[in-house]
Amino acid sequence: MKKRNLVTVMTILLTVIVVNILFFPPPAAGSDELKRELLEELLSADIVEKPDLFADYDELYLAKTKTQAVLQGMQGREVTLVTKEWVDILLGIIDDFEMLADLSKSSVTSDHIEAIAIAERINSSITMLNQYDTAKENGLPMLAELALERFYRGEGEFFEMLSRNEQETRVKIEYEKTSSTSYKKGGVYTISDASRMEFESRRDEWVYKRDMERASDYITASRSHLASARSPPSGFFGAAFIEIIKAKDSFEQAQRLYEKHQDVELGNLKGIESEIEIVYQSLMFETLKVVAVYLLILSVLTIILWKDFERWDGDLDDTGLGEELIG
């Protein structure tokens, strides 16, 4: 019985030990080897390897050199896996910045959009870095944030310039919004620029929506007049032609608005434009035929009347001559 109890107690103790090892591991011990490894990684990202990056973002170079100084001042036993975690985060930020910097120098819009996506990733990394006391005490997250703000200010300028040169209003508004957001993330130096671009985007968006609603109404009216031209509600001569003229006018009003904004909807107007033109040409031909018939009838009547007039004039001359002879 005692032996069985002893086995049970030993089993419980072993279970507790295993659980503690699995779920509550002891703090990672530091080492000189880990310290050397981290310093080598930092030195590999030296100014010789990334001259353009550190020239554009000197905050990152300062963050790297401060990290080197911190590590060099630490005893080997103090450099633990926790140290490696925040150093790796910083190195990841530097690597991401290198990609971001290359993309931001491009003149291709999609490259800048990709750079902004990388900036969001960097921002998440900075948040993680901020959770480590050593990194925070040495201002590493702050330096990375300053570098990121510098990037955003540049993107604000880039997208503002794009918006100035863009003819398609829908795209122009997107550029203005991106510029405003970038300026806003660029820190206190560009708050006024962010407000200015936000105002411009809201103004342009309001005008664009208003004009698109009007254009849509014009297209609806044009379709209605086109249908009436095909099946005129009254038998009055010219009713169909009047309707097609109205359809054409409404269509041109809509077309002018779409052209004003260089909207993609322009490409969808070819169908109705073609329909209006076909009906217009057909009605024009029919109208000309009717007018030609009227003119022909009028000409015949004119000729008949003219002949009657000549006959009457001749009779009048004969009467006058007879009176003279009698007299």
Side-chain angles (χ1 to χ4, degrees):
M1 186 70 177
K2 288 182 179 180
K3 189 175 181 180
R4 186 180 300 172
N5 289 338
L6 182 61
V7 170
T8 303
V9 171
M10 290 297 292
T11 303
I12 293 171
L13 285 173
L14 285 171
T15 303
V16 171
I17 291 169
V18 170
V19 169
N20 280 327
I21 291 172
L22 290 175
F23 296 98
F24 304 100
S31 68
D32 289 326
E33 184 181 351
L34 181 58
K35 178 180 177 179
R36 281 195 302 273
E37 179 187 326
L38 294 178
L39 284 171
E40 285 174 4
E41 288 182 16
L42 283 166
L43 289 170
S44 68
D46 207 344
I47 193 166
V48 178
E49 297 293 328
K50 304 179 189 292
D52 293 337
L53 174 65
F54 291 134
D56 294 337
Y57 299 98
D58 53 357
E59 300 93 345
L60 296 178
Y61 184 65
L62 181 57
K64 187 189 79 70
T65 53
K66 286 192 75 171
T67 303
Q68 284 178 218
V70 169
L71 287 176
Q72 286 168 346
M74 295 171 71
Q75 297 294 326
R77 57 184 172 77
E78 295 175 323
V79 181
T80 65
L81 291 178
V82 174
T83 310
K84 178 175 170 55
E85 285 177 5
W86 65 261
V87 171
D88 284 346
I89 292 173
L90 178 65
L91 289 171
I93 289 172
I94 292 173
D95 288 341
D96 282 343
F97 255 107
E98 189 171 20
M99 289 188 290
L100 175 149
D102 289 340
L103 290 168
S104 65
K105 291 176 182 176
S106 169
S107 59
V108 180
T109 306
S110 59
D111 287 343
H112 286 263
I113 293 172
E114 186 179 348
I116 289 175
I118 294 173
E120 291 300 317
R121 187 168 72 215
I122 291 173
N123 192 50
S124 299
S125 298
I126 292 172
T127 302
M128 292 172 60
L129 186 62
N130 211 29
Q131 295 173 1
Y132 293 88
D133 291 338
T134 305
K136 190 174 181 179
E137 288 166 4
N138 286 278
L140 303 183
M142 181 192 68
L143 289 170
E145 284 173 2
L146 290 174
L148 198 57
E149 287 178 358
R150 185 193 295 271
F151 160 76
Y152 276 122
R153 288 195 292 273
E155 291 307 291
E157 292 174 0
F158 176 81
F159 281 98
E160 180 179 358
M161 182 186 67
L162 280 184
S163 70
R164 298 282 181 256
N165 299 321
E166 181 57 48
Q167 299 301 314
E168 186 180 344
T169 304
R170 187 183 301 183
V171 177
K172 177 185 177 73
I173 292 167
E174 289 304 314
Y175 288 159
E176 288 170 343
K177 287 181 177 179
T178 304
S179 175
S180 175
T181 302
S182 297
Y183 276 138
K184 196 175 294 183
K185 292 180 178 180
V188 294
Y189 300 108
T190 49
I191 290 296
S192 61
D193 293 312
S195 300
R196 174 172 52 81
M197 293 307 297
E198 184 177 6
F199 168 78
E200 290 186 18
S201 69
R202 288 184 177 181
R203 178 199 60 198
D204 291 342
E205 190 169 23
W206 181 84
V207 172
Y208 175 71
K209 286 182 177 179
R210 181 202 64 188
D211 287 351
M212 291 303 99
E213 287 174 2
R214 289 169 59 193
S216 178
D217 290 342
Y218 281 131
I219 291 297
T220 301
S222 181
R223 292 186 188 280
S224 176
H225 290 306
L226 177 60
S228 297
R230 284 171 170 161
S231 303
S234 70
F236 169 69
F237 169 71
F241 193 71
I242 291 171
E243 288 296 327
I244 199 63
I245 291 295
K246 288 180 178 178
K248 196 174 177 67
D249 180 64
S250 294
F251 172 80
E252 288 172 353
Q253 294 275 12
Q255 189 177 42
R256 277 193 288 271
L257 287 171
Y258 286 128
E259 286 175 349
K260 171 186 173 183
H261 296 284
Q262 290 296 299
D263 198 74
V264 293
E265 191 64 26
L266 270 172
N268 299 327
L269 298 181
K270 297 298 182 184
I272 184 173
E273 182 180 21
S274 177
E275 291 177 37
I276 290 172
E277 193 60 31
I278 290 170
V279 175
Y280 177 79
Q281 294 292 342
S282 174
L283 289 174
M284 176 66 79
F285 181 69
E286 292 297 324
T287 302
L288 288 175
K289 282 200 303 183
V290 172
V291 170
V293 170
Y294 279 135
L295 288 175
L296 181 61
I297 293 171
L298 184 61
S299 298
V300 171
L301 290 174
T302 302
I303 291 170
I304 292 171
L305 289 173
W306 179 255
K307 286 185 176 181
D308 287 344
F309 175 76
E310 284 185 334
R311 190 182 303 113
W312 175 78
D313 188 52
D315 291 343
L316 187 62
D317 288 342
D318 290 343
T319 302
L321 181 60
E323 288 178 352
E324 287 179 4
L325 291 173
I326 293 171

